[in-house]
Amino acid sequence: MQTFRGGVHPPQSKYTKDKPVEKARLPKKVVIPLHQHAGCQAEPVVSAGDMVKTGQKIGESKAFISANVHSSITGRIESIKKGVSPIMRDGWCVNIEGDGTDEWFGSKETADVGKFSPEEIRQKIKDAGIVGLGGAGFPTHVKLCPPCDKKIDTVIINGSECEPYLTCDYRLMIEKSNEILEGLEIIKKAVGAEYGYIAVEDNKPDAAEKIKSVLKNKNDKVIVLKTKYPQGAEKQLIKAVLNREVPSCKLPLDAGVVVDNAGTAVAVRNAVLENIPLIERVITVCGSGISTGKNLLVRIGTSFRDVLEECGGLKKDVWKVIMGGPMMGLSQFSLDIPVIKGTSGILAMTLDERPVLQERNCIRCGRCIGVCPMSLMPNMLGLYSSRFMLEDGFKYNPQDCIECGSCAYVCPAKIPLVQLIRFIKGKKLEQMRKCKI
Amino acid sequence: MEVKNNNSEAIEHKLDVSVSPHIKDKATVQKVMLDVIIALIPAGFSGIYFFGIRSIYVILTCVIMSVISEWIMQIIMGVEVTVDDLSAVVTGILLAYCLPPSVPLWVAGIGAVTAIALVKNLFGGLGYNIFNPALAARAILVASWPVAMTLYIAPKMGSISLLDGIDGITSATPLTLIKESYNYLADTTNLDPEKIVQMKRNILDLGNKDLWLNLFTGVKGGSLGETSNLALLSGGCYLLIKKIIDWRVPVTFIGTVLIFSLVLGRNPVFNILSGGLFLGAFFMATDYVTSPVTPVGRLIFGVCCGLFVVLIRFYGGYPEGVCYSILIMNMLVPAIDKFTIPKTFGY
């Protein structure tokens, strides 16, 4: 079976696998950060006191790498002030008090893909403010306009969902397989790609079967991959599916590939064919600290507290609340954090799930080297980083670390390798930027 | 709803905010060491079975002295006391296994203190020592008390008596016997025809299947825990299955000895089954701290260890070369690691 080198096998814990996606209650108020994506913050185009409708643009992208932001409910803008977002960047947030009517802004029209040119598709995606729904939140329209000297021949829909607990992409593949394929065709058209692949891990055979059964295009294929973390990392996915290596510090388009998450494909389809901006997404609410795990279709800007309450609230001995999966997600300090476009899940872990954290000396077991999907030497990077021996550590290519956490996961000495490598990686990137200028 | 609200408010102040990954593998240093100890148990039993109850005293002396000296050293050096990681226990057991069963207990005790205090803790403790503590201590003991360290007793199965002392019949180890035979035959001034026939028979006997079986099960003279290849192999397999050790080092180590014995016209099966090769290949050369971390480095390390064993055994002054081959290679580990950095993805 196709796969990549390295990786780990954390317990899958996909408890919400069989829970169909439910529509969450309409939130009474939402907090919508204007900075939910990679790149620059969107500029607000509304002001406090304005009335907005569902789907109305409230933030506009001015820079090249940026995305529009839309209101997810109908109501009055209470204020635009600094607030915290789950990605720990504090930035401007639009607070909207809902009136409960959920009136749509503009009209929802349906169209056919054939009608649009690649330019129009990109424009529609840009208008809808679509970013990658996998977590990193890279604006999709930017991804879909490769430089003219780069020929894109393949589009991969990432349905591997290698993070434990998360099941939102799995549910989408089961419930919205047609929409995913339509999204794939649109993305293919936008970048002029010939082949389309849907990559699914072998722990979701029914999802793979479901998509196979609705496949129409001969150039599209479902690829079943070995279940392994981080199978869903872009570079690893391309290696596994096409056996192409994305060069260091380059993008998938340098390997002739565009990778988009299954959820993103659905969002693209909705934006292009039905003019629906990205105002809601499917998230998995799960973990031992939650009474009933669910897959919920949630409006962007709903607070974690509201989402968790809809799932029966937190149990007493909750230790951590995480946005995203347990391997790469971000632990949160408050429940008044809004769901953003990149929120793939909310996990609540209880005290008994807390891992042993007592740090010991590195015993040079070499496990981190064995599992590193980028073939780095995390032990050396960690050592040099902790000793502040940056020049020595730079030789070990810290800039290529994808921060997947596999090394820290397997380390028997419980050394916080991701933290240490992140530090030296930052320093190296700083140096590289200086050299370029 | 109200109650739930209060509940989440209360929780919120206790939420832990820390870096990903939020789940970790269950493996800890302690569990890894415990697995090594479990893998070493069969060899210990074989030692007790073949050399009597005295073996237990030797093992206990080494383990207890190791743990105590680790504890005292860490207090003296003002570092965190980490005796509970069981690495000192492993060192103690390994040291006991490469000592002759008849070794005086005070020599064993000094060996344990040397291993932990000198070779391990003075270099910075677990993870920082250059040499394998057990092997380095053994080398120091051989240099300091050569007679006590080379006095091997013949195995006497199952005679377990608490009063069992050093009353065993001393005997040469298979490797000593062969070394002497080759040395005798190489010296043309020896003309005693009877002795020459005897020595030639010694060498020819190596093809004997019964001898191979004895060598494999451990019915031979030798160090306490190294004689039974069967016990060591089962322990080694346990470590391989549990993924504690990498196959690269033991396979290349034993494979190199096998191939070079064949190439140099010596009996390959005899050479891999005698001496401490299995103990060295599965438990000493795979010591995390003193072996390379990179996959390619481990291959190089194993091959070079095997090469040195062959060189020392066939052309050196000692009948056995496992201990010194690993110690020599330990010195080269930083260099091997430096020259075998894996190719990063995307280069």
Side-chain angles (χ1 to χ4, degrees), chain A residues 1 58 101 107 141 194 196 198 206 227 231 244 249 351 368 377 391 419 427 436:
Chain A
M1 207 171 292
I58 53 173
T101 53
S107 61
H141 67 273
E194 196 176 340
I198 299 104
D206 37 349
T227 303
Q231 189 72 262
R244 287 185 205 167
C249 297
L351 280 171
C368 51
M377 289 180 74
E391 286 300 325
Q419 238 165 338
K427 293 284 173 196
K436 261 183 205 163

Side-chain angles (χ1 to χ4, degrees), chain A residues 64-112:
Chain A
F64 176 60
I65 301 181
S66 181
N68 290 339
V69 178
H70 300 80
S71 169
S72 58
I73 57 170
T74 305
R76 196 180 71 89
I77 293 182
E78 196 191 32
S79 59
I80 300 175
K81 59 179 182 195
K82 283 241 174 177
V84 277
S85 90
I87 37 180
M88 306 286 180
R89 284 183 201 137
D90 84 318
W92 294 98
C93 294
V94 180
N95 295 277
I96 304 171
E97 199 74 53
D99 58 10
T101 53
D102 197 25
E103 229 176 289
W104 267 91
F105 178 77
S107 61
K108 280 197 231 177
E109 45 177 303
T110 46
D112 188 63

